[in-house]
Each structure stands twice: as structure tokens, then as C-alpha cells.
Amino acid sequence: MAGKELLGTYTPKMTLAGDFPVVTDSDTMKAGESAEEFQVLCKTADGMTAVTADTVEEIYGIAAADSDEDGNVVIYLTGEFFADTLIYPDTVTAADLKAALRKLNIFMK
């Protein structure tokens, strides 16, 4: 067909799991660290960092996008998310996160 070309494909990410209000904020990652989209993050005095088994109770939110080259990251502070789309270490279970995130009005489904 004249005038039409395939520019690529789009695969939507089914991460948001409901219509609970979504609130975002921004912060800076700890020096030398970066965040991936949908990674569960904690806030420390040195900046944002990925959740670990030792920091589950200090969860701050979920990265809304990859952090930029300067370490800036947008963070979901509330919302409903499919558990299988979140990024967290193998040493942490979804059940561990569910209780901690619930306190922040972030719900895992």
C-alpha cells in the first residue's frame, strides 16, 4: 500500500491492576545505583535504592520508569499493580512485599 510503512510494534505493559488513584513523586537514586521500571525501591539517607530482604519494611514505592543518567527516578507512591510485573530480588517474596506495600496504599494483585 502506498504511503504506509510499518514503524514498529507496540506491546502494552499490563502492570496497573485497577483504578485505585495513582500518585507519583520523584527522587534521586543512591550514587552508583540505577532503577528499572517497576522495581520496588526503598529510601535511605543516601538516596533511593532497590529493596532487599533487610529493607522490606523501609519500602518507599515502585519505579515508574528507568532512572535517567543522573539517577533521577519517578516513583509510584500509590496504586494497584500485578505482582508478577514488579521487580525485586529472589531473597524477597511477593508476600513480604504485599504487607509492606499495603501500608503505603500500594496493592499487589
Side-chain angles (χ1 to χ4, degrees):
M1 295 168 76
K4 292 187 179 186
E5 65 180 276
L6 180 61
L7 298 176
T9 60
Y10 171 71
T11 305
K13 296 178 183 175
M14 297 300 295
T15 301
L16 294 174
D19 57 2
F20 188 85
V22 172
V23 175
T24 61
D25 195 7
S26 62
D27 212 319
T28 305
M29 294 299 293
K30 191 174 179 177
E33 293 190 25
S34 61
E36 283 183 73
E37 185 178 31
F38 307 121
Q39 185 173 29
V40 181
L41 301 174
C42 295
K43 187 169 187 164
T44 70
D46 299 324
M48 302 302 295
T49 187
V51 69
T52 66
D54 296 330
T55 61
V56 168
E57 292 302 319
E58 299 165 22
I59 289 176
Y60 188 75
I62 298 169
D66 294 349
S67 56
D68 68 15
E69 60 206 28
D70 296 322
N72 299 311
V73 62
V74 176
I75 305 153
Y76 289 114
L77 301 179
T78 64
E80 294 176 83
F81 299 85
F82 288 112
D84 62 349
T85 64
L86 300 182
I87 299 172
Y88 51 90
D90 292 337
T91 57
V92 177
T93 67
D96 295 334
L97 291 177
K98 189 171 186 172
L101 289 169
R102 173 69 179 90
K103 295 175 187 175
L104 302 174
N105 287 324
I106 297 175
F107 304 95
M108 290 175 62
K109 294 186 172 189

